[in-house]
Amino acid sequence: MDGYFFEDLSVGQSASFGKTITEADILLFAGVSGDTNPVHINAEVAAASMFKERIAHGMLSASLISTVLGTRLPGAGTIYLGQNLKFRAPVKIGETVTATVTVTALDAVKKRVTLSTVCTVAGKPVIDGEATVMVPSRG
């Protein structure tokens, strides 16, 4: 298995994943999600918005948290149980979003893990929150 078993985790463990957001990412996400809000896909409409240009879907950036949880920490076999998010700033085409998760609590009885979650661009938070996941156990 690629990833950690519950018994291998400790408070403070952290992992990250970064991705530069492209126009193709935004268009593909719009197609998959059905979110065709013009601020994401129409340059003319976006230019008249408070952002002055097209921005990525907030959930596109937030999905990078899922990437970390499912592939890095805890990794394969992780089951998402919950997530809260606060959107702090927009992400623009060409910006690199880095999603970082950090273990903050472990529930040995239920094999559940609580993690702080943050997405940053150039070191500034654009999304933060907290996730709860279930992790495979050796036992």
Side-chain angles (χ1 to χ4, degrees), residues 9-69:
L9 297 173
S10 60
V11 170
Q13 273 181 286
S14 185
S16 299
F17 175 80
K19 176 171 185 19
T20 301
I21 302 300
T22 66
E23 179 168 356
D25 294 326
I26 292 170
L27 295 175
L28 289 168
F29 192 84
V32 168
S33 68
D35 181 352
T36 56
N37 183 331
V39 76
H40 304 306
I41 61 174
N42 184 312
E44 192 172 296
V45 171
S49 76
M50 64 187 276
F51 303 112
K52 306 296 183 208
E53 62 185 294
R54 290 172 52 205
I55 60 169
H57 302 76
M59 293 306 289
L60 170 57
S61 297
S63 73
L64 301 180
I65 296 166
S66 181
T67 301
V68 181
L69 294 173

Side-chain angles (χ1 to χ4, degrees), residues 1-9 13 15 63-83 101-103 105-106 110-117 130-137:
M1 181 176 105
D2 266 352
Y4 295 89
F5 288 104
F6 181 85
E7 294 80 7
D8 299 325
L9 297 173
Q13 273 181 286
S63 73
L64 301 180
I65 296 166
S66 181
T67 301
V68 181
L69 294 173
T71 66
R72 307 235 168 134
L73 181 71
T78 298
I79 304 298
Y80 234 136
L81 298 176
Q83 173 78 58
V101 306
T102 304
V103 176
L106 299 163
K110 294 183 179 181
K111 305 299 186 248
R112 293 188 180 175
V113 182
T114 304
L115 306 101
S116 70
T117 59
E130 183 177 83
T132 305
V133 298
M134 189 167 40
V135 181
S137 173

